[in-house]
Amino acid sequence: MMAATRGALIVLEGCDRVGKSTQAKLLVEYLTKRGKPAKLMNFPDRSTTIGKLLDEYLKQGQEFDDHAVHLLFSANRWEAASSMEKLLKSGTTLVLDRYSDSGIAFSSAKGLDFDWCRNSDAGLPLPDLVLFLQLSQEESRARGGYGQERYEKEQFQATVRDKFSRLQQDNWTVVSAEQKSIEELQCELRKLVDAAVKSALNKSLGHLPT
Ligand code: ADP
Ligand code: FDM
Ligand code: MG
C-alpha cells in the first residue's frame, strides 16, 4: 500500500549558472499547484551543523583537506537521507538542487579518484530522474560574472565541466538549456517530471550503488 503513494526523487544537475536553482523552484511550485506534495532541497544544505562548515569552506573562511571536505559534503547528504526516505515513502516528491553527481564532479576536479568519491554516497536514496542541464560556456558566461565562492572561477569550472562529461551516467536525462527561455525549459522539464512522478508510483525506492 505504501508503494502506491511514493513520491519521486528528482535531481537537477549541471554546471554553474545553467539554471538549476531557477528550474528546481519552478518545478516544486508546478507540482504543488497541481495538488502533488513536493519539496525543494538544496545540496549542500547549509542550515545544518555540517552545512555551516561547508558554507564557511565555500566562502573561503575555513580550510579542509580535499578528502575531508568531500566526506563532509557526503555526510551532509547522509544526514538528510532518512528524512528524504520518509518523505518519499509518504508520497512527497523531492526536487533536489544538486546531489551526489556534483559531489563526484567537484571533488574529482580537485584530483580525487572518481570511485573513491562515489563510494561515500553508496546506499543513499537513488534518484528516479537526474535532469542534467547543459549550456555552452559562452552562453553561461553571458549570464553574468561569477560570485566570490571558492569554486566560482572560470578555470576550475571548465575542469568541473570536463568531469561532468566524463561522469555522464546512464541514468541521466541530458537536457539542453541552450537558447531557451526560463519558461521554455520549464515546459520541457515538466513533461519529464510528470512522467517520472507517474512511474515512481509503481517502483520501490532504490539506493546508489558502490
Ligand atoms: P544555477 O543554479 O544552475 O547556478 P540559476 O538558476 O541560479 O543557475 O541561474 C543563473 C542565472 O541565470 C540567474 O541570474 C538566472 O536568473 C539566469 N537564468 C536562469 N535560467 C535562464 C534562462 N533560461 N535564460 C536566461 N537566463 C537564465
Ligand atoms: N558542491 C556541491 C561540492 O563541491 N560537492 C557537493 O557534494 C555538492 C552538493 O558546492 F560549487 C559545490 C558545488 C558548488 C557549491 O553551490 C554549491 P550552490 O550555488 O549552492 O549550488
Ligand atoms: Mg544554484
Side-chain angles (χ1 to χ4, degrees):
M1 191 160 124
M2 274 205 337
T5 60
R6 182 167 87 79
L9 180 53
I10 290 157
V11 176
L12 282 149
E13 281 286 7
C15 293
D16 211 52
R17 289 182 296 188
V18 72
K20 299 178 299 298
S21 300
T22 305
Q23 295 297 332
K25 185 169 166 277
L26 289 172
L27 284 172
V28 169
E29 286 171 11
Y30 164 72
L31 290 166
T32 308
K33 264 192 210 140
R34 294 182 67 236
K36 303 209 192 285
K39 184 174 160 43
L40 175 66
M41 296 179 84
N42 305 286
F43 286 108
D45 171 359
R46 302 186 194 218
S47 71
T48 67
T49 303
I50 293 169
K52 288 191 176 87
L53 287 174
L54 291 169
D55 186 51
E56 277 299 301
Y57 174 78
L58 290 167
K59 291 188 169 131
Q60 315 201 59
Q62 168 88 49
E63 294 301 318
F64 284 112
D65 169 81
D66 291 342
H67 298 82
V69 85
H70 175 81
L71 296 175
L72 286 177
F73 276 108
S74 180
N76 185 238
R77 288 184 279 280
W78 276 108
E79 64 183 342
S82 64
S83 67
M84 284 168 65
E85 293 219 12
K86 227 178 267 170
L87 284 163
L88 289 165
K89 285 176 182 162
S90 72
T92 300
T93 286
L94 301 179
V95 180
L96 273 44
D97 181 358
R98 296 190 188 276
Y99 193 49
S100 179
D101 292 324
S102 275
I104 302 168
F106 278 78
S107 292
S108 68
K110 294 191 286 186
L112 303 191
D113 177 70
F114 257 63
D115 290 331
W116 186 88
C117 292
R118 199 190 308 271
N119 266 333
S120 56
D121 280 357
L124 284 173
L126 178 74
D128 295 295
L129 178 65
V130 179
L131 295 164
F132 185 82
L133 306 184
Q134 212 155 36
L135 190 66
S136 67
Q137 209 148 2
E138 294 67 42
E139 201 173 324
S140 96
R141 203 178 285 129
R143 291 188 179 177
Y146 286 110
Q148 299 300 310
E149 292 204 334
R150 185 178 293 266
Y151 297 142
E152 297 182 311
K153 297 180 183 88
E154 184 97 24
Q155 184 55 51
F156 187 73
Q157 289 289 329
T159 312
V160 171
R161 178 179 290 269
D162 179 56
K163 295 296 178 189
F164 265 130
S165 66
R166 277 189 220 192
L167 178 64
Q168 175 120 207
Q169 310 263 25
D170 301 338
N171 69 337
W172 285 5
T173 300
V174 179
V175 179
S176 170
E178 206 71 30
Q179 309 253 302
K180 284 177 193 157
S181 68
I182 290 173
E183 295 72 24
E184 280 171 326
L185 183 56
Q186 176 66 196
C187 188
E188 227 174 282
L189 299 183
R190 283 178 182 178
K191 289 187 191 125
L192 295 163
V193 165
D194 281 337
V197 168
K198 206 167 165 194
S199 76
L201 293 173
N202 308 310
K203 274 196 310 185
S204 53
L205 181 65
H207 295 91
L208 287 172
T210 44

